[in-house]
């Protein structure tokens, strides 16, 4: 089974609107971390936000927030007030407590922000 | 100060050649990784070293050989390059905790012609 599933290969959003990028995960570990990374066309991987499995509050970092629904095993990224510079690939990833040496990545979502 | 630096950024070479990619991190992280990103942007782990010891060795052709002279360096040597090796190769490092993410290098775009 896939550890991380991103079902949206590509998405469009109008500038200044909010957008949600979906991510579901699969683990039997109680301790795990969920991450989102951004990869612009320049190619570098930029860390955006982290959510721990024991965190009761949803993580927020500026315009990024993580909608963490533990029972559903989902960790969706919400970008508020989209900007043209948000156009990029977005990767959801997970690291398990039991086997933290591996970092599981989803297949990514390509976000295009329209002016 | 670059946290994870990879060189070269671009590498164009002919089939059959041997090439190396170097990676260095100055974050004091315990573990370093090599990932391959294919043309569909899928990220696949290749190798992982913890304090100079190989801990992950995924199904990778043995033409690929990692070397870690010390905790701060992880190099990737590729022998007899093939067209299918064309990809972006990322080095990354992290602390040993599920609460910590990776810090990535800027990537090396390898093109085999």
């Amino acid at each position: 089974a896939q550890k991380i599933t991103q079902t949206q290969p590509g998405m469009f959003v109008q500038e200044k609107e909010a957008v949600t990028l979906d991510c579901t995960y699969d683990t039997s570990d109680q301790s795990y971390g969920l991450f989102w990374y951004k990869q612009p066309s320049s190619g570098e991987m930029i860390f955006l936000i982290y959510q721990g499995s024991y965190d009761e509050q949803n993580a927020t970092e500026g315009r990024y927030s993580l909608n963490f629904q533990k029972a559903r095993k989902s960790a969706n990224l919400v970008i508020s007030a989209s900007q043209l510079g948000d156009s990029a690939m977005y990767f959801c990833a997970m690291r398990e407590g039991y086997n933290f040496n591996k970092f599981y990545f989803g297949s990514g979502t390509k976000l295009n922000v329209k002016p | 100060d670059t946290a994870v630096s990879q060189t070269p950024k671009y590498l164009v070479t002919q089939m059959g050649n041997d090439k190396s990619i170097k990676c260095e991190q100055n974050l004091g992280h315990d573990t370093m990784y090599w990932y391959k990103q294919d043309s569909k942007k899928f990220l696949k782990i290749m190798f992982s070293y913890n304090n100079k010891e190989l801990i992950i060795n995924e199904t990778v052709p043995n033409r690929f050989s990692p070397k870690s002279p010390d905790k701060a360096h992880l190099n990737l040597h590729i022998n007899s390059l093939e067209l299918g090796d064309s990809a972006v190769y990322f080095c990354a490092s992290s602390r040993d905790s599920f609460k910590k993410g990776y810090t990535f290098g800027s990537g090396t775009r390898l093109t085999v012609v």
Side-chain angles (χ1 to χ4, degrees), chain A:
Chain A
Q2 292 266 40
K3 285 283 190 180
I4 295 285
T5 303
Q6 293 180 255
T7 56
Q8 305 153 314
M11 286 193 72
F12 285 90
V13 65
Q14 203 69 39
E15 196 178 6
K16 297 180 187 173
E17 290 186 350
V19 63
T20 298
L21 306 184
D22 293 342
C23 172
T24 57
Y25 60 92
D26 181 31
T27 181
S28 55
D29 204 331
Q30 296 302 307
S31 305
Y32 52 89
L34 297 157
F35 305 81
W36 279 91
Y37 283 82
K38 173 184 178 181
Q39 187 177 38
S41 57
S42 51
E44 70 269 33
M45 295 286 285
I46 302 166
F47 166 74
L48 294 178
I49 196 166
Y50 160 79
Q51 178 85 42
S53 58
Y54 296 115
D55 295 340
E56 295 185 354
Q57 304 277 352
N58 285 344
T60 59
E61 290 285 350
R63 293 185 300 110
Y64 303 109
S65 60
L66 201 151
N67 184 358
F68 181 45
Q69 298 193 35
K70 199 168 180 176
R72 293 186 180 183
K73 293 190 174 177
S74 75
N76 299 339
L77 177 71
V78 180
I79 306 175
S80 62
S82 297
Q83 300 173 356
L84 295 178
D86 294 334
S87 293
M89 280 289 285
Y90 289 82
F91 292 95
C92 180
M94 176 176 68
R95 204 169 183 185
E96 294 170 312
Y98 179 72
N99 182 17
F100 55 75
N101 288 319
K102 263 195 178 177
F103 210 64
Y104 298 96
F105 283 94
S107 53
T109 295
K110 178 85 166 76
L111 177 66
N112 284 295
V113 180
K114 297 188 290 185

Side-chain angles (χ1 to χ4, degrees), chain A residues 37 39 43 95 101-103, chain B residues 33 35 37 94 97 100 102:
Chain A
Y37 283 82
Q39 187 177 38
R95 204 169 183 185
N101 288 319
K102 263 195 178 177
F103 210 64
Chain B
Y33 309 81
Y35 274 79
Q37 187 175 43
S94 76
S97 167
K100 299 295 182 185
Y102 285 3

Side-chain angles (χ1 to χ4, degrees), chain B residues 9-25:
Chain B
K9 192 165 172 61
Y10 300 97
L11 190 50
V12 181
T13 187
Q14 289 189 321
M15 278 175 57
N17 283 352
D18 303 339
K19 290 293 177 187
S20 291
I21 307 172
K22 295 188 175 182
C23 180
E24 175 182 1
Q25 56 99 0

Side-chain angles (χ1 to χ4, degrees), chain B residues 7-8 11 13-14 17-18 27 40 45 48 52 57 60 62 64 66 70 72 83-84 88 92 96 101 103 112:
Chain B
T7 53
L11 190 50
T13 187
Q14 289 189 321
N17 283 352
D18 303 339
L27 298 167
K40 294 184 178 176
I45 189 166
S48 173
K52 301 193 295 176
N57 185 355
V60 175
N62 57 16
F64 290 79
D70 56 56
L83 294 176
V88 178
D96 289 345
T103 302
V112 183

